[in-house]
Amino acid sequence: MTENLDLFSAESQGQKAQDAINAGVPGSVTSKVAALRAQLWQWAHEYYVLDAPTVPDGEYDRVYQQLEALEGAYPALVTPDSPTQRVIGAVLDGLTPVRHAVPMLSIQTETDNEATGAMAFDQRVRKELGLDASAAAIEYVAEPKFDGLAMNLRYENGRLVQATTRGDGEVGEDVTHNIRTIRQIPLSLPADRNVPPVVEVRGEVHMAKADLEKLNARQQAAGAKTFANPRNAAAGSVRQLDSSIAAQRPLSFFAYGLGEITPPEQGGPDFGTHYAMLQTLRSWGFPVAPQVALARGASELVAFHQRIGAERANLPYEIDGVVYKVNSLALQRRLGFKSREPRWAVAHKYPAQEMPTLMEAIDVQVGRTGKLTPVARLAPVQVGGVVVTNATLSNLFDIRKKGVRVGDQVIVRRAGDVIPEVVGRVPGERPVYVPNFRMPRTCPICASAVVREKGEANHRCTGGLFCGAQRKEAILHFAHRRAMDIEGLGDKLVDQLVDGQVVRVLPDLYRLGLSSLAALDRMAEKSAQNVLAALEKSKSTTLQRFLFGLGIRNVGESTARDLVKHFGKLDAIMDASVEELLQVKDVGPVVADSIHTFFAQPHNREVVEQLRACGVHWEEGEPVEKAPQILAGLTVVLTGTLPTLGRDVAKDMLEAAGAKVSGSVSKKTSYVVAGAEAGSKLAKAEELGVPVLDEAGMLALLRGEQPG
């Protein structure tokens, strides 16, 4: 979307300047507005097209606000292609039909394997051109086939005047009001790049995968319709009557061709190849897919198809195939069209990503964190080149929203290596009544109670310390350095201990012997001794660390500390009612319910008692009234390496004094404590004017002294 620094022709700029003078606008203001617009267009081009911004968002906003203020003071300066006019908010009565000057024809589509499809296309082209086997290989342009909405952008004298959907190929719909909101699409073209008087640029409006996820999250939070895929989201956004709605949706654009254009004999460009035309479009400020490549002969088309197919799952946007086009425009003209399809191009699609099949049952899986996930058991179906027999249904609300039941014909989607998912049911009458699926009340693995916290969509098993599905996660969390700090008990060792049925519950860790550890893969006797020593050392801990190590949902380090300060003893915490838990600082209904539910499970209480019996101990005290904390109300950020204190120790000291220790710097940060090799956080603090302390300054602060 590079509107060049010369936004308009000299003639049109002169007319605008004269209009401004006639309206009493000072010449200095007119010049300032032109300069601000040019700067904003350049920055927008770097951000939205090149993906290489050169200024922070704050600087862009500052300049934008200057322009907005000047245009507000001098309305005569406002033009349709000003950066401030991207979103007009016009609401139309309906979309106006527009007949295309040059029809937007479709391309023949093939779904053969990569070798067969490419070779068949190359052979057809050679045959049509009368080339024998001895003739040189034909040069093609190969590009991704986007799963979006085809668009025709008409520019007259360098300015966008109309944007039209494909429609039926002959007649589309005018969606100019919405297309103007897409920041990758230029509103005007550079005056110094030989742009013809009339040019129609054709391409695909699409939505990135990540942008679709964010949009659906916002839609769901607002109770609005979510979109099944990026194409539906793009089409639904472009065809809105209210441009302010489209402006809120993150649409993108890739150019891939031309419609009507001023002919060379009347001053238009004389392109020799399709590839050269794409490079010109890029120079005019249009995004062109970075994967576009030249390919000589069928073998290079096959290689392109395979390469893009391998990259497909990791691309930021959806594609459903690749497109091959003869590069020479002269050869394109010789080949011409067959019915309503060009002979010089073909779309080569990848295997279907969505297919219908029978949903035979719904099972429930329990994840490492206790989340229960419904899984559809399917009649085997090939989707995206892979046979799929099960697919995720996310949660109970997902099932309700999609309206699927056992025995339905459902649509299954698979993209790359992503876990297959059920998109929805195939419309039709059910032959018999089938009840709605319900989540189990007890965990299918350990029989502990299943709960769903208020405001959450997911159901969870409450047997965190006992449940076999959560065993590995529970052990790793228990061994964390901020919990029991069991050095050497990492992922690989835990995998072996659990998979080999050596450790079933946490207390089994303290029953390990040298022989059982040394017998594991890649575990020498010395390493086994080190792990046993770390386990023995961990038996002497603090109640705060132990409580955090239990992995109670919603109970982090600070909540564990507050619980210990309030109750003093573990038994008091375990026996506390929800009402009593709500008396603890910063403990709300959700956290209180999590704690109460956890200790209400006999399995979890049994594990705690067994850990005590294994020798795990800590000093307990009585609940004390909280003394005034010297740093209460302050927010501190730690960065870099301190000379004598570890980061964890410094964090504990600050929190004990009442400070909140944050991981990011903002205007609300009270102090940044910086050590050696401090990085971006220190720079951010200096930029915002946040006071920076060294270790000595932090210690002075803790003593109640004014840091120097």
Side-chain angles (χ1 to χ4, degrees), residues 441-494:
R441 294 188 176 183
T442 58
C443 174
I445 303 298
C446 70
S448 296
V450 168
V451 299
R452 179 178 67 84
E453 293 175 358
K454 186 176 181 180
E456 277 221 351
N458 297 319
H459 288 70
R460 296 184 181 275
C461 166
T462 57
L465 299 184
F466 179 79
C467 183
Q470 302 174 66
R471 198 170 292 156
K472 292 180 181 179
E473 190 70 20
I475 294 171
L476 288 169
H477 181 79
F478 187 75
H480 191 275
R481 63 185 178 85
R482 300 289 290 175
M484 300 299 284
D485 193 20
I486 307 174
E487 191 173 348
L489 200 60
D491 290 0
K492 293 181 179 178
L493 178 55
V494 169

Side-chain angles (χ1 to χ4, degrees), residues 667-681:
K667 292 180 180 179
K668 296 181 179 179
T669 303
S670 308
Y671 294 98
V672 169
V673 179
E677 299 181 3
S680 59
K681 292 177 184 177

